[in-house]
Amino acid sequence: MGQSILKWNTAVVSDHALALTKRGRKAKPIDVASSHIIGNPHEFHGLANWVLRFEDSAGKVVDLSWAWAANRSKLGHLFLRTLYELTALGGPVRSIHTARTWHNSAKTFFLWLNEIDVDLQIGVQRPLAMWMFIAYKSHIDERVANKSIKSIVGYHRKRVITRIIQHIHSKHPEELEGEWYSTVFLLDQKVDDAESRLPYSVKEAGRILDAISMFLRSHLDKDRVTSTWPEQWQLDSLRERMLITALGLTLGIEPECITGLQVENITEVRNKVRLRYRKSRAPSHPHRVKQADAIDWGETIVPSDTFKTAGGLLAYAKRLAVARGVTQGALWTKSYEQNEFETLSRYLCKYYNLKGDDGKKLRIVRARLRTTWKTTRLLKSNGNLSLTTDDHTKDVGAKHYLENKALIPVYEQTVVNAARAALAHALESNIKVVDIPEDAPAEAVAAAAKKINEPPEQVRQALSGATDAWLASCKNFYNSPWDAPGDPCSKSFWACFECPNALVTRRVLPRILRYLDHITEQRRGIAEADWTKKFSLAYAQITEVILPAFPAGVIGEARAISEGLSGCIHLPPELL
Protein backbone atom coordinates (compact mmCIF):
# COMPACT_ATOMS: atom_id res chain seq x y z
CA MET A 1 0.00 0.00 0.00
CA GLY A 2 2.90 2.35 0.76
CA GLN A 3 4.41 1.75 -2.68
CA SER A 4 1.15 2.66 -4.40
CA ILE A 5 1.03 5.93 -2.49
CA LEU A 6 4.53 6.84 -3.60
CA LYS A 7 3.73 6.08 -7.25
CA TRP A 8 0.45 8.00 -7.07
CA ASN A 9 2.19 11.06 -5.65
CA THR A 10 4.90 10.94 -8.28
CA ALA A 11 2.19 10.93 -10.93
CA VAL A 12 0.67 14.07 -9.39
CA VAL A 13 3.89 16.00 -9.93
CA SER A 14 4.35 14.72 -13.47
CA ASP A 15 0.74 15.42 -14.51
CA HIS A 16 0.89 18.89 -13.01
CA ALA A 17 4.09 19.74 -14.85
CA LEU A 18 2.59 18.37 -18.07
CA ALA A 19 -0.54 20.44 -17.58
CA LEU A 20 1.57 23.59 -17.28
CA THR A 21 3.35 22.74 -20.50
CA LYS A 22 0.12 22.06 -22.39
CA ARG A 23 -1.31 25.41 -21.37
CA GLY A 24 1.78 27.08 -22.74
CA ARG A 25 2.54 28.83 -19.45
CA LYS A 26 6.17 29.24 -18.58
CA ALA A 27 6.98 27.20 -15.50
CA LYS A 28 8.50 29.10 -12.58
CA PRO A 29 11.92 28.04 -11.31
CA ILE A 30 11.75 26.51 -7.84
CA ASP A 31 14.28 25.89 -5.11
CA VAL A 32 12.80 22.50 -4.22
CA ALA A 33 14.33 20.21 -6.82
CA SER A 34 12.61 17.09 -5.50
CA SER A 35 10.28 16.03 -2.72
CA HIS A 36 8.96 12.64 -1.79
CA ILE A 37 7.23 10.80 1.03
CA ILE A 38 9.21 8.24 2.99
CA GLY A 39 7.36 5.80 5.22
CA ASN A 40 7.01 2.18 6.23
CA PRO A 41 4.16 0.58 4.20
CA HIS A 42 3.32 -1.55 7.25
CA GLU A 43 2.81 1.55 9.41
CA PHE A 44 0.31 3.38 7.27
CA HIS A 45 -1.99 3.88 10.26
CA GLY A 46 0.83 5.26 12.39
CA LEU A 47 2.90 8.27 11.29
CA ALA A 48 5.71 7.93 13.82
CA ASN A 49 8.31 7.12 11.14
CA TRP A 50 6.82 9.01 8.20
CA VAL A 51 8.62 12.07 6.78
CA LEU A 52 8.29 14.42 3.83
CA ARG A 53 11.78 14.72 2.39
CA PHE A 54 13.01 17.72 0.42
CA GLU A 55 16.24 17.99 -1.51
CA ASP A 56 17.26 21.23 -3.21
CA SER A 57 19.58 21.76 -6.15
CA ALA A 58 22.53 22.32 -3.81
CA GLY A 59 22.09 18.84 -2.36
CA LYS A 60 20.65 19.99 0.95
CA VAL A 61 18.24 17.39 2.37
CA VAL A 62 15.56 18.20 4.93
CA ASP A 63 13.22 15.62 6.45
CA LEU A 64 9.97 16.99 7.88
CA SER A 65 8.73 14.52 10.46
CA TRP A 66 5.03 13.77 10.81
CA ALA A 67 5.27 12.05 14.21
CA TRP A 68 3.15 14.77 15.86
CA ALA A 69 0.18 13.62 13.74
CA ALA A 70 0.55 9.94 14.61
CA ASN A 71 -2.50 9.90 16.91
CA ARG A 72 -4.70 11.25 14.06
CA SER A 73 -3.38 9.01 11.31
CA LYS A 74 -6.16 9.55 8.79
CA LEU A 75 -6.10 13.35 8.94
CA GLY A 76 -2.33 13.33 9.29
CA HIS A 77 -1.90 11.35 6.08
CA LEU A 78 -4.33 13.71 4.35
CA PHE A 79 -2.31 16.77 5.37
CA LEU A 80 0.94 15.00 4.49
CA ARG A 81 -0.32 14.10 1.02
CA THR A 82 -1.75 17.60 0.46
CA LEU A 83 1.44 19.40 1.44
CA TYR A 84 3.31 17.11 -0.92
CA GLU A 85 0.93 17.96 -3.76
CA LEU A 86 1.44 21.68 -3.09
CA THR A 87 5.18 21.29 -3.69
CA ALA A 88 4.51 20.43 -7.32
CA LEU A 89 5.90 22.69 -10.02
CA GLY A 90 4.09 26.04 -9.90
CA GLY A 91 2.55 25.33 -6.51
CA PRO A 92 2.67 27.70 -3.53
CA VAL A 93 5.39 25.73 -1.71
CA ARG A 94 8.49 26.39 -3.80
CA SER A 95 11.33 26.25 -1.30
CA ILE A 96 12.53 24.27 1.67
CA HIS A 97 12.10 27.36 3.83
CA THR A 98 8.43 27.66 2.81
CA ALA A 99 7.84 23.94 3.26
CA ARG A 100 9.25 24.10 6.78
CA THR A 101 6.97 27.04 7.60
CA TRP A 102 3.88 25.21 6.31
CA HIS A 103 4.90 22.08 8.16
CA ASN A 104 5.17 24.02 11.45
CA SER A 105 1.77 25.66 10.88
CA ALA A 106 0.19 22.24 10.29
CA LYS A 107 1.81 21.00 13.49
CA THR A 108 0.31 23.94 15.41
CA PHE A 109 -3.13 23.02 14.05
CA PHE A 110 -2.81 19.40 15.18
CA LEU A 111 -1.60 20.40 18.65
CA TRP A 112 -4.69 22.59 18.98
CA LEU A 113 -6.85 19.65 17.92
CA ASN A 114 -5.30 17.56 20.69
CA GLU A 115 -6.36 20.16 23.25
CA ILE A 116 -10.01 20.41 22.22
CA ASP A 117 -10.59 16.83 21.06
CA VAL A 118 -9.03 14.68 23.76
CA ASP A 119 -11.09 11.67 22.65
CA LEU A 120 -9.39 11.69 19.23
CA GLN A 121 -12.63 11.64 17.27
CA ILE A 122 -11.62 14.09 14.52
CA GLY A 123 -9.11 12.75 12.08
CA VAL A 124 -9.58 9.16 13.23
CA GLN A 125 -13.26 8.28 13.31
CA ARG A 126 -14.66 11.50 11.85
CA PRO A 127 -13.46 13.72 8.99
CA LEU A 128 -12.69 17.39 9.52
CA ALA A 129 -15.82 19.58 9.58
CA MET A 130 -16.20 23.23 8.64
CA TRP A 131 -17.16 24.33 12.16
CA MET A 132 -13.82 22.95 13.43
CA PHE A 133 -11.90 24.99 10.89
CA ILE A 134 -13.83 28.13 11.88
CA ALA A 135 -13.15 27.41 15.55
CA TYR A 136 -9.41 27.19 14.84
CA LYS A 137 -9.39 30.55 13.09
CA SER A 138 -11.27 32.07 16.05
CA HIS A 139 -8.68 30.54 18.38
CA ILE A 140 -5.87 32.24 16.43
CA ASP A 141 -7.76 35.55 16.50
CA GLU A 142 -8.10 35.28 20.28
CA ARG A 143 -4.38 34.68 20.66
CA VAL A 144 -3.68 37.77 18.54
CA ALA A 145 -6.16 39.81 20.61
CA ASN A 146 -4.49 38.60 23.82
CA LYS A 147 -1.12 39.57 22.32
CA SER A 148 0.26 36.08 22.86
CA ILE A 149 1.26 36.06 19.18
CA LYS A 150 1.80 38.79 16.60
CA SER A 151 -0.90 39.58 14.08
CA ILE A 152 1.43 38.68 11.21
CA VAL A 153 2.10 35.28 12.81
CA GLY A 154 -1.61 34.62 13.24
CA TYR A 155 -2.26 35.64 9.65
CA HIS A 156 0.29 33.19 8.28
CA ARG A 157 -0.94 30.33 10.50
CA LYS A 158 -4.51 30.82 9.28
CA ARG A 159 -3.34 31.28 5.71
CA VAL A 160 -1.41 28.01 5.61
CA ILE A 161 -4.25 25.92 7.08
CA THR A 162 -6.73 27.69 4.80
CA ARG A 163 -4.68 26.87 1.70
CA ILE A 164 -4.24 23.23 2.75
CA ILE A 165 -7.93 22.65 3.52
CA GLN A 166 -9.00 24.60 0.44
CA HIS A 167 -6.83 22.30 -1.67
CA ILE A 168 -8.39 19.25 0.01
CA HIS A 169 -11.87 20.67 -0.60
CA SER A 170 -11.01 21.24 -4.26
CA LYS A 171 -9.28 17.93 -5.02
CA HIS A 172 -10.61 15.51 -2.41
CA PRO A 173 -13.94 16.85 -1.03
CA GLU A 174 -14.95 13.36 0.08
CA GLU A 175 -12.25 13.58 2.76
CA LEU A 176 -14.14 16.39 4.55
CA GLU A 177 -17.35 16.22 6.56
CA GLY A 178 -20.55 17.96 5.42
CA GLU A 179 -20.99 21.05 3.31
CA TRP A 180 -18.28 23.72 3.15
CA TYR A 181 -18.98 27.31 2.13
CA SER A 182 -16.45 29.01 -0.14
CA THR A 183 -16.49 32.12 2.07
CA VAL A 184 -14.64 30.29 4.86
CA PHE A 185 -11.57 30.28 2.65
CA LEU A 186 -11.42 34.07 2.38
CA LEU A 187 -8.33 35.51 4.06
CA ASP A 188 -8.33 38.42 6.48
CA GLN A 189 -6.40 41.57 5.77
CA LYS A 190 -2.71 41.18 6.41
CA VAL A 191 -1.32 43.38 9.20
CA ASP A 192 2.46 43.22 9.45
CA ASP A 193 3.20 44.04 13.09
CA ALA A 194 6.42 42.04 13.31
CA GLU A 195 9.10 43.87 15.24
CA SER A 196 12.62 43.98 13.95
CA ARG A 197 15.26 42.51 16.22
CA LEU A 198 17.23 45.21 17.98
CA PRO A 199 20.91 45.01 17.09
CA TYR A 200 23.69 44.52 19.57
CA SER A 201 25.57 47.70 20.31
CA VAL A 202 29.03 48.09 18.81
CA LYS A 203 30.57 47.38 22.21
CA GLU A 204 28.39 44.31 22.80
CA ALA A 205 29.28 42.90 19.38
CA GLY A 206 32.93 43.52 20.19
CA ARG A 207 32.63 41.61 23.47
CA ILE A 208 31.01 38.66 21.71
CA LEU A 209 33.78 38.54 19.10
CA ASP A 210 36.46 38.87 21.80
CA ALA A 211 35.04 35.94 23.78
CA ILE A 212 34.69 33.75 20.69
CA SER A 213 38.19 34.66 19.51
CA MET A 214 39.67 33.68 22.87
CA PHE A 215 37.80 30.37 22.86
CA LEU A 216 38.83 29.45 19.32
CA ARG A 217 42.43 30.45 19.96
CA SER A 218 42.64 28.38 23.15
CA HIS A 219 41.12 25.30 21.47
CA LEU A 220 42.86 25.63 18.12
CA ASP A 221 44.90 22.44 18.40
CA LYS A 222 42.42 20.36 20.42
CA ASP A 223 41.42 18.01 17.63
CA ARG A 224 41.14 14.92 19.78
CA VAL A 225 39.36 13.97 23.01
CA THR A 226 40.79 15.65 26.12
CA SER A 227 39.97 15.61 29.78
CA THR A 228 38.19 18.96 29.39
CA TRP A 229 35.97 17.61 26.65
CA PRO A 230 34.71 14.10 27.43
CA GLU A 231 33.32 13.80 23.92
CA GLN A 232 34.85 15.20 20.75
CA TRP A 233 31.41 16.09 19.36
CA GLN A 234 30.85 18.47 22.28
CA LEU A 235 33.91 20.48 21.31
CA ASP A 236 33.01 20.39 17.61
CA SER A 237 29.44 21.47 18.30
CA LEU A 238 30.40 24.38 20.53
CA ARG A 239 33.13 25.48 18.15
CA GLU A 240 30.74 25.47 15.20
CA ARG A 241 28.17 27.54 17.07
CA MET A 242 30.93 30.00 17.92
CA LEU A 243 31.92 30.26 14.27
CA ILE A 244 28.31 30.69 13.10
CA THR A 245 27.79 33.50 15.62
CA ALA A 246 31.01 35.28 14.69
CA LEU A 247 30.26 34.97 10.98
CA GLY A 248 26.83 36.49 11.56
CA LEU A 249 28.51 39.56 13.08
CA THR A 250 31.28 39.89 10.49
CA LEU A 251 29.91 38.53 7.21
CA GLY A 252 26.38 39.94 7.28
CA ILE A 253 24.45 37.24 5.43
CA GLU A 254 21.24 35.65 6.69
CA PRO A 255 21.49 33.00 9.45
CA GLU A 256 19.97 30.32 7.21
CA CYS A 257 22.57 31.11 4.53
CA ILE A 258 25.38 30.63 7.05
CA THR A 259 24.01 27.29 8.24
CA GLY A 260 23.68 26.17 4.61
CA LEU A 261 27.27 26.93 3.57
CA GLN A 262 29.11 24.31 1.50
CA VAL A 263 32.81 23.48 1.87
CA GLU A 264 33.53 23.62 -1.87
CA ASN A 265 32.09 27.15 -2.11
CA ILE A 266 34.82 28.62 0.11
CA THR A 267 37.98 29.38 -1.86
CA GLU A 268 41.12 31.18 -0.67
CA VAL A 269 43.09 33.41 -3.01
CA ARG A 270 46.07 35.17 -1.43
CA ASN A 271 44.67 37.05 1.57
CA LYS A 272 41.08 36.91 0.35
CA VAL A 273 38.35 34.34 0.88
CA ARG A 274 35.71 34.07 -1.83
CA LEU A 275 32.38 32.69 -0.71
CA ARG A 276 29.52 31.52 -2.88
CA TYR A 277 26.26 30.92 -1.03
CA ARG A 278 22.61 30.34 -1.75
CA LYS A 279 20.11 33.01 -0.72
CA SER A 280 16.95 30.97 -0.21
CA ARG A 281 14.63 33.99 0.03
CA ALA A 282 15.53 35.28 -3.44
CA PRO A 283 14.57 32.55 -5.94
CA SER A 284 15.10 34.85 -8.93
CA HIS A 285 18.75 35.47 -8.03
CA PRO A 286 19.55 32.78 -5.48
CA HIS A 287 23.32 32.55 -5.92
CA ARG A 288 25.31 35.30 -4.24
CA VAL A 289 29.05 35.87 -4.02
CA LYS A 290 30.96 37.63 -1.25
CA GLN A 291 34.64 38.32 -0.79
CA ALA A 292 36.11 38.78 2.67
CA ASP A 293 39.53 39.63 4.04
CA ALA A 294 41.53 36.80 5.55
CA ILE A 295 44.94 36.40 7.16
CA ASP A 296 47.42 33.80 5.95
CA TRP A 297 47.12 30.91 8.37
CA GLY A 298 50.62 29.45 8.44
CA GLU A 299 51.29 26.11 10.07
CA THR A 300 51.19 26.59 13.83
CA ILE A 301 50.89 30.26 14.83
CA VAL A 302 47.59 32.04 14.23
CA PRO A 303 47.42 35.81 14.87
CA SER A 304 44.88 36.68 17.55
CA ASP A 305 42.83 38.99 15.34
CA THR A 306 42.37 36.32 12.68
CA PHE A 307 39.15 35.14 14.30
CA LYS A 308 37.70 38.65 14.16
CA THR A 309 37.58 38.77 10.36
CA ALA A 310 34.99 37.00 8.23
CA GLY A 311 37.69 35.64 5.95
CA GLY A 312 39.68 34.17 8.81
CA LEU A 313 36.58 32.54 10.30
CA LEU A 314 35.58 31.02 6.97
CA ALA A 315 39.08 29.70 6.34
CA TYR A 316 39.20 28.13 9.80
CA ALA A 317 35.74 26.58 9.41
CA LYS A 318 36.82 25.02 6.12
CA ARG A 319 40.01 23.76 7.73
CA LEU A 320 37.96 21.99 10.43
CA ALA A 321 35.66 20.44 7.83
CA VAL A 322 38.60 19.15 5.78
CA ALA A 323 40.13 17.70 8.96
CA ARG A 324 36.90 15.70 9.37
CA GLY A 325 37.37 14.38 5.83
CA VAL A 326 34.73 16.65 4.26
CA THR A 327 35.91 18.30 1.03
CA GLN A 328 32.46 18.65 -0.50
CA GLY A 329 29.09 19.14 1.12
CA ALA A 330 27.87 20.82 4.29
CA LEU A 331 30.39 22.98 6.15
CA TRP A 332 28.80 22.18 9.51
CA THR A 333 28.13 18.82 11.12
CA LYS A 334 24.46 19.65 11.74
CA SER A 335 21.78 22.33 11.55
CA TYR A 336 21.57 24.24 14.84
CA GLU A 337 18.37 25.54 16.41
CA GLN A 338 18.02 28.70 18.53
CA ASN A 339 17.82 26.74 21.80
CA GLU A 340 21.32 25.43 21.13
CA PHE A 341 22.55 29.01 21.00
CA GLU A 342 21.02 29.51 24.44
CA THR A 343 23.50 26.90 25.64
CA LEU A 344 26.26 28.83 23.91
CA SER A 345 25.11 32.01 25.69
CA ARG A 346 25.32 30.34 29.09
CA TYR A 347 28.79 28.99 28.30
CA LEU A 348 30.15 32.41 27.24
CA CYS A 349 28.56 34.13 30.22
CA LYS A 350 29.99 31.57 32.65
CA TYR A 351 33.54 31.19 31.34
CA TYR A 352 34.12 34.52 29.57
CA ASN A 353 31.91 36.81 31.67
CA LEU A 354 29.95 37.96 28.61
CA LYS A 355 27.66 40.85 29.59
CA GLY A 356 25.59 43.46 27.82
CA ASP A 357 25.78 47.22 28.20
CA ASP A 358 23.24 46.97 31.01
CA GLY A 359 25.54 44.70 33.01
CA LYS A 360 23.28 41.66 32.61
CA LYS A 361 24.14 38.37 30.93
CA LEU A 362 24.16 38.74 27.17
CA ARG A 363 22.10 36.26 25.13
CA ILE A 364 23.19 35.11 21.70
CA VAL A 365 20.21 35.50 19.36
CA ARG A 366 20.86 34.64 15.73
CA ALA A 367 18.15 37.00 14.48
CA ARG A 368 20.12 39.95 15.92
CA LEU A 369 23.41 39.17 14.16
CA ARG A 370 22.63 40.43 10.66
CA THR A 371 20.80 43.45 12.06
CA THR A 372 23.91 44.25 14.10
CA TRP A 373 26.14 43.98 11.04
CA LYS A 374 23.87 46.24 8.98
CA THR A 375 23.58 48.80 11.76
CA THR A 376 27.34 48.86 12.36
CA ARG A 377 27.97 49.52 8.66
CA LEU A 378 25.42 52.32 8.72
CA LEU A 379 27.01 53.93 11.77
CA LYS A 380 30.52 53.72 10.32
CA SER A 381 29.33 55.28 7.04
CA ASN A 382 27.62 58.19 8.83
CA GLY A 383 24.18 57.12 7.64
CA ASN A 384 24.72 55.87 4.07
CA LEU A 385 21.26 54.30 3.58
CA SER A 386 22.29 52.51 0.39
CA LEU A 387 24.28 50.07 2.53
CA THR A 388 21.04 48.67 4.00
CA THR A 389 19.48 47.89 0.63
CA ASP A 390 22.43 46.29 -1.16
CA ASP A 391 20.98 42.77 -0.96
CA HIS A 392 17.24 43.24 -0.37
CA THR A 393 14.41 45.66 -1.10
CA LYS A 394 14.05 49.15 0.36
CA ASP A 395 10.89 48.11 2.20
CA VAL A 396 12.69 45.25 3.94
CA GLY A 397 15.59 47.55 4.77
CA ALA A 398 13.27 50.17 6.23
CA LYS A 399 11.28 47.74 8.39
CA HIS A 400 13.93 45.32 9.59
CA TYR A 401 17.17 47.32 9.62
CA LEU A 402 16.44 51.04 9.87
CA GLU A 403 13.85 51.09 12.65
CA ASN A 404 15.96 50.58 15.76
CA LYS A 405 17.05 52.75 18.67
CA ALA A 406 20.74 52.43 17.87
CA LEU A 407 20.25 54.62 14.79
CA ILE A 408 18.34 57.44 16.52
CA PRO A 409 21.54 59.54 17.02
CA VAL A 410 22.32 59.14 13.31
CA TYR A 411 18.85 60.28 12.31
CA GLU A 412 18.94 63.24 14.72
CA GLN A 413 22.34 64.32 13.43
CA THR A 414 21.08 63.97 9.85
CA VAL A 415 18.23 66.37 10.60
CA VAL A 416 20.67 68.82 12.18
CA ASN A 417 23.05 68.58 9.20
CA ALA A 418 20.19 69.09 6.76
CA ALA A 419 19.00 72.18 8.65
CA ARG A 420 22.52 73.61 8.66
CA ALA A 421 22.94 72.90 4.96
CA ALA A 422 19.60 74.57 4.20
CA LEU A 423 20.58 77.61 6.25
CA ALA A 424 23.97 77.82 4.54
CA HIS A 425 22.31 77.56 1.15
CA ALA A 426 19.83 80.29 2.04
CA LEU A 427 22.63 82.61 3.16
CA GLU A 428 24.91 81.71 0.27
CA SER A 429 24.74 84.27 -2.51
CA ASN A 430 25.39 83.70 -6.21
CA ILE A 431 25.16 87.43 -6.88
CA LYS A 432 28.40 89.40 -7.30
CA VAL A 433 28.88 93.03 -6.25
CA VAL A 434 31.19 95.54 -7.96
CA ASP A 435 31.68 98.69 -5.84
CA ILE A 436 33.71 101.01 -8.03
CA PRO A 437 32.66 104.11 -9.98
CA GLU A 438 31.72 103.94 -13.63
CA ASP A 439 34.86 105.85 -14.67
CA ALA A 440 37.25 103.79 -12.52
CA PRO A 441 40.78 103.37 -13.92
CA ALA A 442 41.84 100.12 -15.57
CA GLU A 443 43.80 99.03 -12.49
CA ALA A 444 40.70 99.33 -10.25
CA VAL A 445 38.58 97.46 -12.83
CA ALA A 446 41.15 94.65 -13.01
CA ALA A 447 41.30 94.37 -9.21
CA ALA A 448 37.49 94.23 -8.95
CA ALA A 449 37.32 91.63 -11.73
CA LYS A 450 39.89 89.44 -9.98
CA LYS A 451 37.96 89.69 -6.72
CA ILE A 452 34.77 88.30 -8.26
CA ASN A 453 36.60 85.99 -10.73
CA GLU A 454 35.26 87.64 -13.87
CA PRO A 455 37.00 89.07 -17.00
CA PRO A 456 37.79 92.82 -16.78
CA GLU A 457 35.87 93.39 -20.01
CA GLN A 458 32.72 91.97 -18.41
CA VAL A 459 33.09 94.29 -15.43
CA ARG A 460 33.66 97.31 -17.68
CA GLN A 461 30.45 96.55 -19.62
CA ALA A 462 28.50 96.28 -16.36
CA LEU A 463 29.85 99.62 -15.14
CA SER A 464 28.83 101.32 -18.41
CA GLY A 465 25.28 99.97 -18.24
CA ALA A 466 25.59 98.11 -21.54
CA THR A 467 24.40 94.82 -19.96
CA ASP A 468 21.92 96.21 -17.44
CA ALA A 469 18.70 94.36 -16.70
CA TRP A 470 16.30 95.93 -14.19
CA LEU A 471 17.91 94.90 -10.86
CA ALA A 472 21.39 93.86 -12.01
CA SER A 473 23.75 93.72 -14.90
CA CYS A 474 23.43 90.40 -16.76
CA LYS A 475 26.60 88.80 -18.12
CA ASN A 476 24.69 87.00 -20.86
CA PHE A 477 20.92 87.36 -21.15
CA TYR A 478 20.86 84.61 -23.80
CA ASN A 479 22.87 82.07 -21.82
CA SER A 480 20.85 81.76 -18.63
CA PRO A 481 21.34 78.86 -16.19
CA TRP A 482 17.56 78.39 -16.31
CA ASP A 483 17.14 77.99 -20.08
CA ALA A 484 18.74 76.38 -23.14
CA PRO A 485 21.70 78.25 -24.67
CA GLY A 486 20.48 80.85 -27.16
CA ASP A 487 17.10 81.33 -25.51
CA PRO A 488 16.37 84.57 -23.61
CA CYS A 489 16.13 84.29 -19.83
CA SER A 490 12.60 83.24 -18.87
CA LYS A 491 12.80 84.06 -15.17
CA SER A 492 11.11 87.02 -13.50
CA PHE A 493 13.42 89.94 -12.71
CA TRP A 494 13.87 89.12 -9.01
CA ALA A 495 15.54 85.82 -9.99
CA CYS A 496 18.64 87.95 -10.58
CA PHE A 497 19.26 87.75 -6.82
CA GLU A 498 20.01 84.00 -7.11
CA CYS A 499 21.60 83.97 -10.58
CA PRO A 500 25.36 83.54 -11.18
CA ASN A 501 25.04 85.77 -14.28
CA ALA A 502 24.13 88.81 -12.17
CA LEU A 503 26.54 91.67 -11.36
CA VAL A 504 25.36 94.47 -9.06
CA THR A 505 26.91 97.89 -9.64
CA ARG A 506 26.23 101.39 -8.32
CA ARG A 507 24.10 102.06 -11.41
CA VAL A 508 21.35 99.62 -10.31
CA LEU A 509 21.38 100.50 -6.60
CA PRO A 510 18.53 103.06 -6.88
CA ARG A 511 16.26 100.49 -8.49
CA ILE A 512 17.19 97.86 -5.89
CA LEU A 513 16.27 100.31 -3.12
CA ARG A 514 13.03 101.11 -4.91
CA TYR A 515 12.25 97.37 -5.06
CA LEU A 516 13.16 97.00 -1.38
CA ASP A 517 10.64 99.68 -0.47
CA HIS A 518 8.00 97.88 -2.51
CA ILE A 519 8.45 94.47 -0.88
CA THR A 520 8.61 96.06 2.57
CA GLU A 521 5.29 97.76 1.90
CA GLN A 522 3.85 94.46 0.59
CA ARG A 523 4.74 92.77 3.87
CA ARG A 524 2.20 94.96 5.65
CA GLY A 525 -0.60 94.12 3.23
CA ILE A 526 -0.41 90.36 2.53
CA ALA A 527 -0.22 87.19 4.62
CA GLU A 528 3.19 86.45 6.11
CA ALA A 529 3.36 83.00 4.51
CA ASP A 530 2.57 84.44 1.09
CA TRP A 531 5.14 87.20 1.52
CA THR A 532 7.78 84.69 2.62
CA LYS A 533 7.30 82.58 -0.50
CA LYS A 534 7.45 85.60 -2.82
CA PHE A 535 9.95 88.01 -1.32
CA SER A 536 11.94 86.58 1.62
CA LEU A 537 14.93 85.44 -0.46
CA ALA A 538 15.20 88.76 -2.30
CA TYR A 539 14.81 90.67 0.98
CA ALA A 540 17.62 88.67 2.58
CA GLN A 541 19.93 89.12 -0.43
CA ILE A 542 19.39 92.87 -0.51
CA THR A 543 19.71 93.53 3.23
CA GLU A 544 22.40 90.93 4.08
CA VAL A 545 24.55 90.73 0.94
CA ILE A 546 24.15 93.68 -1.43
CA LEU A 547 23.74 96.75 0.79
CA PRO A 548 26.53 95.81 3.25
CA ALA A 549 28.93 95.65 0.27
CA PHE A 550 28.56 99.40 -0.48
CA PRO A 551 29.73 102.38 1.61
CA ALA A 552 27.07 104.38 3.43
CA GLY A 553 27.71 107.42 1.20
CA VAL A 554 27.04 105.43 -1.95
CA ILE A 555 23.82 104.01 -0.47
CA GLY A 556 22.68 107.49 0.59
CA GLU A 557 23.23 108.85 -2.90
CA ALA A 558 21.34 105.89 -4.40
CA ARG A 559 18.49 106.44 -1.91
CA ALA A 560 18.13 110.07 -3.02
CA ILE A 561 17.99 108.99 -6.63
CA SER A 562 15.42 106.25 -5.89
CA GLU A 563 13.10 108.73 -4.19
CA GLY A 564 13.01 110.79 -7.39
CA LEU A 565 12.13 107.80 -9.53
CA SER A 566 8.59 107.33 -10.80
CA GLY A 567 7.39 103.91 -9.81
CA CYS A 568 5.02 103.76 -12.77
CA ILE A 569 7.93 104.24 -15.13
CA HIS A 570 10.56 102.06 -13.55
CA LEU A 571 8.69 99.25 -11.80
CA PRO A 572 7.97 96.22 -14.04
CA PRO A 573 4.30 95.37 -14.69
CA GLU A 574 4.46 92.36 -12.30
CA LEU A 575 4.79 94.71 -9.34
CA LEU A 576 1.93 97.07 -10.20
Side-chain angles (χ1 to χ4, degrees), residues 465 467-474 477 496 508 511:
T467 56
D468 275 3
W470 195 71
L471 289 178
S473 172
C474 184
F477 190 75
C496 292
V508 297
R511 293 194 287 273

Side-chain angles (χ1 to χ4, degrees), residues 100 104 113 144 170 201 258 307 397 522 572:
R100 197 194 304 270
N104 292 335
L113 277 178
V144 172
S170 173
S201 69
I258 296 177
F307 295 117
Q522 289 293 308

Side-chain angles (χ1 to χ4, degrees), residues 14-26:
S14 302
D15 291 343
H16 189 67
L18 182 61
L20 291 177
T21 306
K22 287 180 178 178
R23 287 196 296 267
R25 194 178 79 190
K26 185 177 180 180

Side-chain angles (χ1 to χ4, degrees), residues 29-31 94 278-288:
I30 58 174
D31 288 341
R94 295 195 294 267
R278 186 174 183 83
K279 189 175 175 69
S280 60
R281 300 183 191 178
S284 58
H285 301 285
H287 295 288
R288 302 295 179 93

Side-chain angles (χ1 to χ4, degrees), residues 438 457-468 473 505 507:
E438 181 179 346
E457 297 80 9
Q458 188 72 61
V459 174
R460 179 63 73 184
Q461 285 184 326
L463 292 174
S464 67
T467 56
D468 275 3
S473 172
T505 64
R507 290 180 54 86

Side-chain angles (χ1 to χ4, degrees), residues 206-275:
R207 293 188 203 111
I208 294 173
L209 289 175
D210 287 341
I212 290 175
S213 179
M214 286 189 287
F215 174 88
L216 295 176
R217 205 164 58 242
S218 62
H219 295 84
L220 182 63
D221 297 322
K222 291 183 173 61
D223 293 329
R224 59 179 181 273
V225 178
T226 65
S227 57
T228 307
W229 298 96
E231 299 290 344
Q232 179 64 35
W233 66 267
Q234 292 179 335
L235 172 60
D236 292 341
S237 174
L238 191 60
R239 189 157 44 188
E240 286 188 351
R241 281 175 282 167
M242 297 264 190
L243 287 168
I244 291 171
T245 301
L247 283 172
L249 291 172
T250 57
L251 190 59
I253 64 178
E254 292 86 344
E256 65 269 20
C257 296
I258 296 177
T259 56
L261 293 178
Q262 303 288 305
V263 176
E264 65 272 18
N265 291 337
I266 302 174
T267 54
E268 299 175 56
V269 181
R270 298 177 183 175
N271 287 338
K272 295 284 185 181
V273 171
R274 189 172 183 270
L275 171 67

Side-chain angles (χ1 to χ4, degrees), residues 327-345:
T327 57
Q328 282 193 336
L331 181 64
W332 317 109
T333 57
K334 60 168 291 188
S335 179
Y336 295 96
E337 302 297 334
Q338 177 56 42
N339 64 325
E340 295 175 284
F341 285 86
E342 296 291 345
T343 307
L344 173 62
S345 302

Side-chain angles (χ1 to χ4, degrees), residues 527-539:
E528 184 67 20
D530 190 21
W531 184 91
T532 300
K533 291 179 181 179
K534 290 182 178 179
F535 305 120
S536 61
L537 179 60
Y539 183 85

